[in-house]
């Protein structure tokens, strides 16, 4: 996590939205954080605290109002094209293109990269297979269940072998057991491919179990609490931490570690 | 008890209807429109018994006229001319309209200035354009092209603009996170995203264009179905007028069928709105 090795580095980032009437809304107040290579970071925070906005900034889809953002040492907004195929994103909703089959959705990133069609299909098939979607390659999104669609979205994210994975409440709207299974599948793939991964979740329990590190964001976004969450913490420890995090979120004040 | 009786009656009549409808289905696809058509024809034939022939010629006279029209060498010439006018005019309106629609879809500024103008133009009746065209242009083809452009361009532009606006921002973000080129963004998202709107716009405008072209041909054209209709009127030949009209109807139905077929093929990814074969 030393400065040069940081995969993600945000320094005093501020994001203010100005409405048409000129009203200003601070979505991100003063956010500084660093993520090192191979880290799996779970991010929690109140709804509307600017988590998705943080992702949008990291993905270079919008620019910060103030502050600097470096991803892989470059500015994701300014050096936009450098990041071709660097990001694998699983959004809260699957965002599958409805006019494409599961296979065609999974090849999307590879098409952007200009792979040969035969290669695209081979790679996408491999990932669909891995996500237990063999036999559903030709199905259109509306013919698949919510869980299956989200798995196609995961296949799409992994198939172009990105350097960083982003998951924004990716399993939030699924039923508990499906969410649990998909989360495991996703994390196994992350571990297997040794990618750096940022994961937003509303489920604090999940956040503790999932990552190697947990960040609590305040509202508007700033880091309230940043803690390592090693694997194999006892149930009691996890329960303690969960309570503590709930209190922090409620208090909305920065905790010095 | 009473309802039981009617039930059996209904049952037998549908059984009888089934045989007929099966035959009709094989020929045309669906029975209901055919039945409606037969009823209209029957009413017409009845009227032709009581009213003067030059108002309501009998079906046989119409069929004869139709056969005559269809077998004359003029048919090809006039029909081809009218249809080419429709298609060329529509193509022109589509290309410019799509361009305007796309520009509005991607530039707030263009949208702000152009959208109200288009809505205003949409309020102008097609017939007014015919009058303007006669005043402004002396060349017939110019007039027709202008009328089609004025009548259909706003339609194309508005529908395509709507289509572009309808593509969810979420899809843009999802794709942009992959860093596609402009061409790829257009090809993979915008084009398939507006395709349903494009098809809709053609369906709307084909009908409009056909009506408008005929009116335009009534004034000043030396050839075309509109001209032939005018001639029939001057000679008081009702059966001829009907025959030429039928050709137009057939053309319109055919193109609509082709569009539906296209829609079926191109938009097969859409969830079916109705279950079963209906
Ligand atoms: N484009 C925008 N224009 C104006 N306001 C915005 C915009 N995008 C986000 N916001 C506002 O910024 C705040 C943070 O939004 P964001 O989506 O980042 O929250 P979030 O933490 O992801 O919430 P949730 O947990 O509910 O997904 C919200 O109050 C939202 O209304
Ligand atoms: Mg969010």
């Amino acid at each position: 996590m030393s400065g040069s090795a940081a995969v993600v580095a945000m320094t005093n980032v501020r994001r203010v939205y100005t409405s048409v009437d000129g009203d200003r809304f601070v979505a991100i107040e003063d956010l500084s954080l660093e993520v090192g290579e191979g880290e799996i970071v779970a991010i929690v925070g109140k709804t509307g605290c600017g988590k998705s906005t943080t992702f949008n900034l990291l993905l270079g889809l919008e620019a910060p109002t103030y502050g600097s953002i470096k991803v892989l040492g470059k500015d994701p907004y300014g050096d936009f094209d450098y990041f071709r195929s660097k990001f694998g994103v699983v959004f809260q909703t699957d965002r599958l293109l409805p006019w494409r089959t599961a296979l065609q959705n999974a090849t999307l990133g590879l098409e952007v990269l200009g792979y040969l069609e035969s290669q695209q299909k081979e790679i996408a098939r491999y990932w669909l297979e891995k996500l237990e979607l063999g036999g559903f390659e030709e199905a259109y999104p509306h013919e698949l269940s919510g869980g299956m669609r989200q798995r196609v979205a995961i296949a799409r994210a992994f198939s172009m072998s990105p350097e960083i994975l982003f998951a924004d409440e990716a399993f939030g709207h699924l039923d508990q057991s499906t969410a649990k299974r998909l989360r495991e599948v996703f994390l196994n793939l992350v571990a297997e491919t040794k990618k750096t991964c940022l994961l937003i979740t509303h489920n604090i329990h999940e956040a503790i179990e999932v990552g190697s590190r947990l960040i609590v964001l305040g509202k508007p976004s700033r880091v309230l609490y940043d803690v390592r969450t090693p694997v194999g913490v006892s149930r009691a420890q996890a329960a303690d931490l969960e309570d503590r995090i709930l209190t922090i979120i409620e208090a909305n004040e920065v905790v010095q570690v | 008890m009473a309802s039981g009786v009617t039930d059996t009656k209904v049952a037998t009549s549908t059984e009888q209807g089934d045989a007929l409808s099966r035959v009709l289905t094989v020929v045309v696809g669906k029975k209901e429109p055919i039945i409606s058509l037969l009823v209209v024809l029957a009413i017409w034939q009845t009227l032709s018994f009581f009213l003067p022939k030059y108002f309501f010629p009998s079906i046989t006279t119409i069929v004869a006229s139709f056969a005559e029209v269809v077998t004359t060498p003029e048919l090809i010439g006039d029909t081809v001319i009218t249809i080419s006018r429709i298609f060329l005019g529509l193509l022109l309106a589509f290309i410019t309209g799509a361009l305007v629609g796309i520009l509005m879809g991607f530039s707030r500024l263009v949208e702000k200035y152009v959208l109200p103008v288009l809505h205003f133009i949409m309020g102008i009746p097609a017939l007014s354009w015919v009058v303007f065209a006669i005043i402004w242009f002396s060349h017939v083809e110019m007039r027709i092209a202008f009328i089609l452009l004025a009548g259909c361009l706003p339609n194309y532009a508005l529908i395509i603009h709507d289509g572009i606006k309808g593509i969810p921002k979420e899809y843009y973000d999802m794709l942009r996170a992959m860093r596609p080129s402009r061409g790829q963004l257009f090809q993979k998202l915008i084009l398939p995203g507006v395709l349903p709107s494009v098809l809709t716009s053609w369906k709307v405008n084909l009908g409009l264009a056909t009506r408008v072209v005929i009116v335009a041909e009534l004034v000043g054209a030396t050839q075309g179905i509109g001209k032939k209709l005018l001639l029939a009127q001057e000679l008081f030949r009702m059966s001829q007028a009907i025959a030429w009209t039928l050709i137009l109807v057939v053309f319109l139905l055919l193109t609509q069928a082709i569009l539906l077929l296209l829609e079926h093929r191109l938009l097969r990814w859409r969830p079916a709105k109705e279950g079963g074969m209906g």
Side-chain angles (χ1 to χ4, degrees), chain B residues 5-120:
Chain B
V5 175
T6 21
D7 276 354
T8 44
K9 265 186 189 163
V10 169
T12 47
S13 72
T14 40
E15 260 167 47
Q16 285 169 350
D18 257 13
L20 179 67
S21 76
R22 241 176 288 147
V23 174
L24 289 176
T25 312
V26 172
V27 183
V28 211
K30 274 199 183 110
K31 60 175 179 184
E32 290 89 347
I34 300 296
I35 292 168
S36 310
L37 191 68
L38 289 177
V39 170
V40 172
L41 287 180
I43 294 173
W44 182 280
Q45 187 65 5
T46 318
L47 285 174
S48 75
F49 291 139
F50 301 106
L51 293 165
K53 280 199 178 7
Y54 41 86
F55 286 160
F56 284 93
S58 70
I59 305 279
T60 42
T61 320
I62 296 173
V63 171
S65 266
F66 188 71
E68 193 190 316
V69 165
V70 169
T71 48
T72 51
E74 290 169 17
L75 167 87
I76 309 282
D78 287 296
T79 310
V80 165
I81 281 183
T82 298
I83 291 177
S84 338
R85 281 173 182 153
I86 294 174
F87 275 124
L88 287 177
L90 277 181
L91 206 63
L92 190 67
F94 173 67
I95 292 169
T96 43
L99 217 68
V100 174
I102 290 171
L103 278 175
M104 283 197 301
F106 287 100
S107 159
R108 281 263 163 77
L109 197 71
V110 175
E111 186 182 23
K112 268 193 235 167
Y113 282 99
V114 178
L115 204 56
V117 177
L118 288 180
H119 279 297
F120 181 82

Side-chain angles (χ1 to χ4, degrees), chain A residues 27-185:
Chain A
I28 296 177
E29 191 171 74
D30 180 14
L31 186 58
S32 300
L33 65 87
E34 274 188 16
V35 176
E37 202 179 329
E39 272 194 291
I40 298 172
V41 182
I43 297 169
V44 296
K46 270 207 177 107
T47 171
C49 77
K51 302 182 294 295
S52 297
T53 305
T54 305
F55 270 21
N56 282 342
L57 292 172
L58 290 175
L59 294 173
L61 301 176
E62 39 188 279
T65 312
Y66 178 84
S68 107
I69 298 176
K70 289 271 184 278
V71 178
L72 302 168
K74 291 199 188 270
D75 173 3
Y77 187 80
D79 302 312
F80 196 78
D81 285 329
Y82 171 79
F83 293 90
R84 175 163 289 192
S85 89
K86 297 271 195 286
F87 301 140
V89 193
V90 185
F91 297 93
Q92 175 153 18
T93 52
D94 55 72
R95 300 195 190 186
L96 298 182
L97 298 178
W99 52 82
R100 284 174 169 248
T101 61
L103 184 67
Q104 291 167 337
N105 265 294
T107 57
L108 192 59
L110 299 163
E111 291 169 34
V112 169
L113 280 173
Y115 275 60
L116 288 177
E117 206 176 311
S118 55
Q119 282 177 306
Q120 291 171 17
K121 287 194 174 147
E122 191 185 323
I123 298 171
R125 278 220 174 83
Y126 167 83
W127 284 103
L128 288 177
E129 197 79 42
K130 224 170 158 73
L131 286 148
E132 295 166 32
L133 283 167
F136 290 95
E137 290 89 349
E138 301 308 321
Y140 285 98
H142 78 265
E143 298 167 326
L144 300 171
S145 73
M148 290 164 100
R149 283 205 294 270
Q150 202 58 294
R151 273 184 277 161
V152 176
I154 295 173
R156 176 178 64 191
F158 276 97
S159 67
M160 56 182 171
S161 40
E163 306 216 349
I164 310 172
L165 281 156
F166 294 86
D168 186 352
E169 265 296 307
F171 319 109
H173 67 301
L174 301 169
D175 72 81
Q176 274 200 26
S177 67
T178 310
K180 189 165 185 291
R181 268 202 28 230
L182 266 190
R183 194 186 306 131
E184 273 162 18
V185 170

